[in-house]
Amino acid sequence: MTQPTADQVRDELRQWLDDAWDPDLTVAEWWARLADGRWAVPMWPEEWHGRGYGSDLARVIDEGLREAGALGGPAGLGVLLAGPTISTHGTDDQKQRYLRPIVDGQEGWCQLFSEPGAGSDLASLQTKAARDGDEWVITGQKVWTSGGQTADLGMLIARTDVDLPKHQGITYFALPMDQPGVEVRPLREMTGRALFSEVFFDEARVRDDAIIGGLNNGWKVANTTLAYERAGLGGGGSGAGGGGFPGRKAGLLDARAGDLVAGVGRGRAVQPSAFGGSYALLQGIAEKLGRAGETVIRQRLAELYTLTEIGRMSARRGKAARAAGRGVGGEGNLAKLLMSRIIRISRDLGPAILGPEAMLTGEGTTGGGVVQEMTLFAPGPSIYGGTDEIQKNIIGERVLGLPKEPGPPKETPFRELKVGTQSA
Ligand SMILES: Cc1cc2nc3c(=O)[nH]c(=O)nc-3n(C[C@H](O)[C@H](O)[C@H](O)COP(=O)(O)OP(=O)(O)OC[C@H]3O[C@@H](n4cnc5c(N)ncnc54)[C@H](O)[C@@H]3O)c2cc1C
């Protein structure tokens, strides 16, 4: 499909906003309008509320909305992960059911993958799903569930057959979170926020028609979700969303859209995309404090700039190579590793520039507390979506063809594996 130019997109958006943007609308009304105009998720396919644009044009739309003072589309894991996964593996009925409420912000999603004994080795998961007529009964525990407290639906992977090898007996469900068998307990982290939760399932229920991608095919579907997670993080964000968290429980839908524009970015958890722009942020603060010329700070700013540019150009090169059928694989893993490096430099450089003020948080401090928040959040991105070590393992095994880690034969049924405390 031929893509319009950035100028054409900018003009079309500006004209549309002249009529459509009204700060007095509720957030729900504005997001519905944005969805109808197919501006909310421009990277999604045309038949599913998007425009089939690449990330460059999606960023043009982000900027256009910001410049016009209009609220961006819904953020969160529905747009980033659940939607693209359902687009890839869902039936047409599932796409009808789940995609529109993601795009217009009516439903928020969380990712129910990690367990206390299954993080890097995710396929060792033990949460069970047992069939009961046309429903499945879920028992077990998940952990580090980002946004679990406010989500309406969860991307759940659970074990449906212990007689199959561990990667094969897993199924992917769209689980309704608001039900008696689901208990969500927030976990507070060092940022002072509780971004994620533990989630306990005690005979929670999910319908058979909420299986995404077929029975016992959940590993493949989960890998699609993880690939979108890496690409989103490595690319410094998706160019989508940014207008606030969706769903009834998040509590924004009835707010005045105009009020939320001013609030976006303030008092909200730092987003991965913030790190993609950390050079501009830190360089600006260094200039303001008269420290940009200091040898060490200048050197580290140059390093940050160089790596950010390498990331941007590598993403474009990878995209062009894939389009020409010459992709080597591992581009997403490499992008995520590079972003981890950028984040570590930002984590060290921010406090070095701020000096003792780095210990103060909140508005009124230089940079509005963003550097402090980024510093405290910095360990996160190199862990979620697969740790740095796991990215290196994947590159080693799948791209460079190195031998696999030793372990039991792939065909061993899950029930015969010594995994955690499982008794299956
Ligand atoms: C901010 C944040 C948000 C998150 N959000 C979610 C979410 O919404 N949903 C969700 O399901 N999960 C989420 N997670 C969990 C995340 O996916 C896991 O923490 C991650 O996969 C690592 O698993 P683990 O914590 O069990 O660590 P482990 O797997 O126990 O790893 C511990 C250490 O050992 C290393 N290691 C493990 N195996 C190997 C190996 N084979 N080779 C070399 N080194 C190895 C790891 O790199 C790590 O350093 C989130 C995590 C964070 C930090």
Side-chain angles (χ1 to χ4, degrees), residues 310-332:
I310 288 174
R312 196 175 61 80
M313 289 178 199
S314 299
R316 293 183 75 161
R317 192 181 57 170
K319 198 172 147 201
R322 274 195 306 280
R326 286 189 283 107
V328 291
E331 288 91 349

PDB file of all heavy atoms in Angstrom, residues 310-332:
ATOM      1  N   ILE A 310      21.785   5.615  16.523  1.00  0.00           N
ATOM      2  CA  ILE A 310      22.044   4.258  16.005  1.00  0.00           C
ATOM      3  C   ILE A 310      20.759   3.430  16.088  1.00  0.00           C
ATOM      4  O   ILE A 310      20.407   2.697  15.157  1.00  0.00           O
ATOM      5  CB  ILE A 310      23.192   3.587  16.797  1.00  0.00           C
ATOM      6  CG1 ILE A 310      24.523   4.238  16.434  1.00  0.00           C
ATOM      7  CG2 ILE A 310      23.239   2.082  16.530  1.00  0.00           C
ATOM      8  CD1 ILE A 310      25.702   3.763  17.258  1.00  0.00           C
ATOM      9  N   GLY A 311      20.030   3.569  17.210  1.00  0.00           N
ATOM     10  CA  GLY A 311      18.779   2.831  17.376  1.00  0.00           C
ATOM     11  C   GLY A 311      17.769   3.214  16.308  1.00  0.00           C
ATOM     12  O   GLY A 311      17.126   2.371  15.690  1.00  0.00           O
ATOM     13  N   ARG A 312      17.666   4.509  16.076  1.00  0.00           N
ATOM     14  CA  ARG A 312      16.686   4.987  15.095  1.00  0.00           C
ATOM     15  C   ARG A 312      17.029   4.486  13.691  1.00  0.00           C
ATOM     16  O   ARG A 312      16.197   3.967  12.970  1.00  0.00           O
ATOM     17  CB  ARG A 312      16.689   6.532  15.121  1.00  0.00           C
ATOM     18  CG  ARG A 312      15.492   7.187  14.475  1.00  0.00           C
ATOM     19  CD  ARG A 312      15.542   8.690  14.671  1.00  0.00           C
ATOM     20  NE  ARG A 312      16.711   9.321  14.078  1.00  0.00           N
ATOM     21  CZ  ARG A 312      16.836   9.623  12.789  1.00  0.00           C
ATOM     22  NH1 ARG A 312      15.856   9.351  11.971  1.00  0.00           N
ATOM     23  NH2 ARG A 312      17.938  10.191  12.317  1.00  0.00           N
ATOM     24  N   MET A 313      18.320   4.588  13.352  1.00  0.00           N
ATOM     25  CA  MET A 313      18.716   4.180  12.002  1.00  0.00           C
ATOM     26  C   MET A 313      18.654   2.662  11.847  1.00  0.00           C
ATOM     27  O   MET A 313      18.278   2.154  10.793  1.00  0.00           O
ATOM     28  CB  MET A 313      20.132   4.676  11.695  1.00  0.00           C
ATOM     29  CG  MET A 313      20.168   6.178  11.507  1.00  0.00           C
ATOM     30  SD  MET A 313      21.864   6.678  11.211  1.00  0.00           S
ATOM     31  CE  MET A 313      21.792   8.401  11.590  1.00  0.00           C
ATOM     32  N   SER A 314      19.017   1.931  12.907  1.00  0.00           N
ATOM     33  CA  SER A 314      18.950   0.466  12.827  1.00  0.00           C
ATOM     34  C   SER A 314      17.509   0.018  12.611  1.00  0.00           C
ATOM     35  O   SER A 314      17.250  -0.937  11.877  1.00  0.00           O
ATOM     36  CB  SER A 314      19.474  -0.182  14.105  1.00  0.00           C
ATOM     37  OG  SER A 314      20.806   0.168  14.305  1.00  0.00           O
ATOM     38  N   ALA A 315      16.564   0.708  13.299  1.00  0.00           N
ATOM     39  CA  ALA A 315      15.155   0.341  13.138  1.00  0.00           C
ATOM     40  C   ALA A 315      14.738   0.530  11.679  1.00  0.00           C
ATOM     41  O   ALA A 315      14.062  -0.314  11.095  1.00  0.00           O
ATOM     42  CB  ALA A 315      14.286   1.180  14.067  1.00  0.00           C
ATOM     43  N   ARG A 316      15.187   1.631  11.078  1.00  0.00           N
ATOM     44  CA  ARG A 316      14.820   1.890   9.674  1.00  0.00           C
ATOM     45  C   ARG A 316      15.494   0.883   8.754  1.00  0.00           C
ATOM     46  O   ARG A 316      14.887   0.394   7.803  1.00  0.00           O
ATOM     47  CB  ARG A 316      15.228   3.310   9.284  1.00  0.00           C
ATOM     48  CG  ARG A 316      14.419   4.340  10.049  1.00  0.00           C
ATOM     49  CD  ARG A 316      14.750   5.720   9.645  1.00  0.00           C
ATOM     50  NE  ARG A 316      14.169   6.030   8.341  1.00  0.00           N
ATOM     51  CZ  ARG A 316      13.989   7.260   7.903  1.00  0.00           C
ATOM     52  NH1 ARG A 316      14.361   8.275   8.641  1.00  0.00           N
ATOM     53  NH2 ARG A 316      13.476   7.490   6.725  1.00  0.00           N
ATOM     54  N   ARG A 317      16.751   0.583   9.055  1.00  0.00           N
ATOM     55  CA  ARG A 317      17.466  -0.376   8.205  1.00  0.00           C
ATOM     56  C   ARG A 317      16.804  -1.755   8.296  1.00  0.00           C
ATOM     57  O   ARG A 317      16.602  -2.438   7.300  1.00  0.00           O
ATOM     58  CB  ARG A 317      18.933  -0.473   8.650  1.00  0.00           C
ATOM     59  CG  ARG A 317      19.792  -1.207   7.652  1.00  0.00           C
ATOM     60  CD  ARG A 317      21.208  -1.310   8.123  1.00  0.00           C
ATOM     61  NE  ARG A 317      21.272  -1.974   9.423  1.00  0.00           N
ATOM     62  CZ  ARG A 317      22.386  -2.374  10.001  1.00  0.00           C
ATOM     63  NH1 ARG A 317      23.533  -2.145   9.418  1.00  0.00           N
ATOM     64  NH2 ARG A 317      22.374  -2.983  11.147  1.00  0.00           N
ATOM     65  N   GLY A 318      16.441  -2.162   9.550  1.00  0.00           N
ATOM     66  CA  GLY A 318      15.805  -3.459   9.753  1.00  0.00           C
ATOM     67  C   GLY A 318      14.486  -3.534   9.000  1.00  0.00           C
ATOM     68  O   GLY A 318      14.169  -4.542   8.367  1.00  0.00           O
ATOM     69  N   LYS A 319      13.734  -2.427   9.059  1.00  0.00           N
ATOM     70  CA  LYS A 319      12.432  -2.402   8.403  1.00  0.00           C
ATOM     71  C   LYS A 319      12.601  -2.533   6.879  1.00  0.00           C
ATOM     72  O   LYS A 319      11.902  -3.310   6.222  1.00  0.00           O
ATOM     73  CB  LYS A 319      11.754  -1.070   8.747  1.00  0.00           C
ATOM     74  CG  LYS A 319      10.289  -1.067   8.513  1.00  0.00           C
ATOM     75  CD  LYS A 319       9.697   0.217   9.074  1.00  0.00           C
ATOM     76  CE  LYS A 319       8.539   0.635   8.210  1.00  0.00           C
ATOM     77  NZ  LYS A 319       8.201   2.025   8.339  1.00  0.00           N
ATOM     78  N   ALA A 320      13.570  -1.800   6.346  1.00  0.00           N
ATOM     79  CA  ALA A 320      13.799  -1.852   4.901  1.00  0.00           C
ATOM     80  C   ALA A 320      14.271  -3.252   4.493  1.00  0.00           C
ATOM     81  O   ALA A 320      13.837  -3.789   3.467  1.00  0.00           O
ATOM     82  CB  ALA A 320      14.845  -0.803   4.509  1.00  0.00           C
ATOM     83  N   ALA A 321      15.142  -3.859   5.335  1.00  0.00           N
ATOM     84  CA  ALA A 321      15.661  -5.197   5.003  1.00  0.00           C
ATOM     85  C   ALA A 321      14.516  -6.213   5.015  1.00  0.00           C
ATOM     86  O   ALA A 321      14.414  -7.076   4.130  1.00  0.00           O
ATOM     87  CB  ALA A 321      16.751  -5.598   6.007  1.00  0.00           C
ATOM     88  N   ARG A 322      13.645  -6.099   6.008  1.00  0.00           N
ATOM     89  CA  ARG A 322      12.512  -7.042   6.083  1.00  0.00           C
ATOM     90  C   ARG A 322      11.598  -6.866   4.873  1.00  0.00           C
ATOM     91  O   ARG A 322      11.149  -7.835   4.270  1.00  0.00           O
ATOM     92  CB  ARG A 322      11.721  -6.823   7.373  1.00  0.00           C
ATOM     93  CG  ARG A 322      12.304  -7.600   8.562  1.00  0.00           C
ATOM     94  CD  ARG A 322      11.320  -7.664   9.712  1.00  0.00           C
ATOM     95  NE  ARG A 322      10.823  -6.359  10.132  1.00  0.00           N
ATOM     96  CZ  ARG A 322      11.498  -5.515  10.916  1.00  0.00           C
ATOM     97  NH1 ARG A 322      12.684  -5.854  11.380  1.00  0.00           N
ATOM     98  NH2 ARG A 322      10.989  -4.353  11.238  1.00  0.00           N
ATOM     99  N   ALA A 323      11.346  -5.593   4.518  1.00  0.00           N
ATOM    100  CA  ALA A 323      10.460  -5.328   3.377  1.00  0.00           C
ATOM    101  C   ALA A 323      11.046  -5.926   2.098  1.00  0.00           C
ATOM    102  O   ALA A 323      10.326  -6.355   1.201  1.00  0.00           O
ATOM    103  CB  ALA A 323      10.248  -3.823   3.221  1.00  0.00           C
ATOM    104  N   ALA A 324      12.389  -5.974   2.023  1.00  0.00           N
ATOM    105  CA  ALA A 324      13.046  -6.515   0.824  1.00  0.00           C
ATOM    106  C   ALA A 324      13.311  -8.017   0.975  1.00  0.00           C
ATOM    107  O   ALA A 324      14.020  -8.611   0.161  1.00  0.00           O
ATOM    108  CB  ALA A 324      14.354  -5.759   0.582  1.00  0.00           C
ATOM    109  N   GLY A 325      12.782  -8.614   2.050  1.00  0.00           N
ATOM    110  CA  GLY A 325      12.967 -10.061   2.277  1.00  0.00           C
ATOM    111  C   GLY A 325      14.370 -10.413   2.710  1.00  0.00           C
ATOM    112  O   GLY A 325      14.821 -11.546   2.542  1.00  0.00           O
ATOM    113  N   ARG A 326      15.116  -9.444   3.272  1.00  0.00           N
ATOM    114  CA  ARG A 326      16.505  -9.710   3.667  1.00  0.00           C
ATOM    115  C   ARG A 326      16.723  -9.570   5.176  1.00  0.00           C
ATOM    116  O   ARG A 326      17.833  -9.360   5.626  1.00  0.00           O
ATOM    117  CB  ARG A 326      17.455  -8.768   2.918  1.00  0.00           C
ATOM    118  CG  ARG A 326      17.633  -9.141   1.449  1.00  0.00           C
ATOM    119  CD  ARG A 326      18.741  -8.349   0.781  1.00  0.00           C
ATOM    120  NE  ARG A 326      18.314  -6.986   0.456  1.00  0.00           N
ATOM    121  CZ  ARG A 326      18.720  -5.902   1.111  1.00  0.00           C
ATOM    122  NH1 ARG A 326      19.557  -5.994   2.089  1.00  0.00           N
ATOM    123  NH2 ARG A 326      18.286  -4.709   0.752  1.00  0.00           N
ATOM    124  N   GLY A 327      15.637  -9.667   5.969  1.00  0.00           N
ATOM    125  CA  GLY A 327      15.777  -9.560   7.426  1.00  0.00           C
ATOM    126  C   GLY A 327      16.607 -10.722   7.964  1.00  0.00           C
ATOM    127  O   GLY A 327      16.497 -11.844   7.471  1.00  0.00           O
ATOM    128  N   VAL A 328      17.460 -10.437   8.957  1.00  0.00           N
ATOM    129  CA  VAL A 328      18.293 -11.525   9.493  1.00  0.00           C
ATOM    130  C   VAL A 328      17.673 -12.132  10.751  1.00  0.00           C
ATOM    131  O   VAL A 328      18.151 -13.120  11.269  1.00  0.00           O
ATOM    132  CB  VAL A 328      19.729 -11.051   9.845  1.00  0.00           C
ATOM    133  CG1 VAL A 328      20.498 -10.716   8.584  1.00  0.00           C
ATOM    134  CG2 VAL A 328      19.703  -9.870  10.804  1.00  0.00           C
ATOM    135  N   GLY A 329      16.603 -11.526  11.261  1.00  0.00           N
ATOM    136  CA  GLY A 329      16.006 -11.982  12.523  1.00  0.00           C
ATOM    137  C   GLY A 329      16.740 -11.311  13.676  1.00  0.00           C
ATOM    138  O   GLY A 329      17.859 -10.814  13.522  1.00  0.00           O
ATOM    139  N   GLY A 330      16.090 -11.308  14.815  1.00  0.00           N
ATOM    140  CA  GLY A 330      16.736 -10.760  16.007  1.00  0.00           C
ATOM    141  C   GLY A 330      16.753  -9.243  16.066  1.00  0.00           C
ATOM    142  O   GLY A 330      17.303  -8.673  17.006  1.00  0.00           O
ATOM    143  N   GLU A 331      16.135  -8.560  15.089  1.00  0.00           N
ATOM    144  CA  GLU A 331      16.188  -7.078  15.109  1.00  0.00           C
ATOM    145  C   GLU A 331      15.515  -6.526  16.365  1.00  0.00           C
ATOM    146  O   GLU A 331      16.019  -5.600  16.997  1.00  0.00           O
ATOM    147  CB  GLU A 331      15.517  -6.471  13.865  1.00  0.00           C
ATOM    148  CG  GLU A 331      16.301  -6.643  12.580  1.00  0.00           C
ATOM    149  CD  GLU A 331      15.926  -7.903  11.822  1.00  0.00           C
ATOM    150  OE1 GLU A 331      15.203  -8.759  12.402  1.00  0.00           O
ATOM    151  OE2 GLU A 331      16.350  -8.058  10.662  1.00  0.00           O
ATOM    152  N   GLY A 332      14.359  -7.138  16.730  1.00  0.00           N
ATOM    153  CA  GLY A 332      13.629  -6.677  17.914  1.00  0.00           C
ATOM    154  C   GLY A 332      14.444  -6.897  19.177  1.00  0.00           C
ATOM    155  O   GLY A 332      14.473  -6.041  20.070  1.00  0.00           O
TER     156      GLY A 332
END
